[in-house]
Amino acid sequence: PSSPMRKDQFSLPGVSGAEAAELAVFFFPGGGGTVDANLKRWYDQFKQPDGSTTGNRAELEKLKVNMLSVTTVYVTGTYLKSRSLMMMGGPVDELSDYALLAAIAETAEGSWFFKATGPQQTIDHWRARFGTFVQSFRVK
């Protein structure tokens, strides 16, 4: 992982000339903030070409997966990628035609966060497989 906050990370290969996307996995035992707070923070990492609010354009779904509450979200727009490892304020690179595909799985020990960001073409390619991955969530 590129940050001590990350539990793991993966590269999702690009398709048809698009760059790869990145899937980061986070777990904060007993913390990590509410689902809504995390969604808002993720929405704030995107801006819309027409000036609309990212949260109003997000595709949000709440699921039950193997007795876990899971929230998934998909957004597109211009990604405001932080140049800082801690991703809190500071300068950003604006990457147009990007997408975010994420899931938050709530467990008794804390929430698990799975956040993929990358070119929209790449994220869209992996979207169905991400959905299959989410359906595999379970606590042992």
Side-chain angles (χ1 to χ4, degrees):
S2 63
S3 161
M5 293 176 57
R6 294 181 176 194
K7 198 77 166 153
D8 216 334
Q9 70 186 46
F10 304 89
S11 179
L12 303 177
V15 294
S16 302
E19 291 183 19
E22 179 180 80
L23 171 61
V25 180
F26 304 88
F27 176 69
F28 305 102
T34 66
V35 170
D36 288 339
N38 280 280
L39 292 173
K40 181 186 180 326
R41 186 169 43 79
W42 293 344
Y43 297 159
D44 289 346
Q45 293 173 350
F46 279 79
K47 71 178 186 178
Q48 299 305 314
D50 63 3
S52 65
T53 305
T54 298
N56 289 338
R57 297 174 56 130
E59 295 178 30
L60 186 70
E61 188 174 7
K62 299 211 178 252
L63 313 164
K64 276 291 188 192
V65 178
N66 296 314
M67 299 183 37
L68 295 172
S69 293
V70 178
T71 301
T72 64
V73 66
Y74 172 79
V75 299
T76 62
T78 299
Y79 180 44
L80 307 175
K81 183 178 181 181
S82 176
R83 293 182 192 161
S84 165
L85 283 178
M86 296 308 286
M87 300 188 297
M88 301 296 227
V92 297
D93 292 319
E94 295 191 15
L95 306 171
S96 60
D97 299 317
Y98 259 56
L100 171 140
L101 181 59
I104 302 171
E106 300 173 74
T107 75
E109 292 78 29
S111 293
W112 285 83
F113 303 87
F114 304 84
K115 180 185 172 197
T117 52
Q120 183 177 350
Q121 183 177 355
T122 301
I123 294 293
D124 287 351
H125 172 78
W126 291 101
R127 194 169 176 185
R129 289 186 182 134
F130 186 84
T132 301
F133 169 62
V134 167
Q135 290 299 319
S136 74
F137 290 176
R138 64 185 34 86
V139 175
K140 289 186 176 185

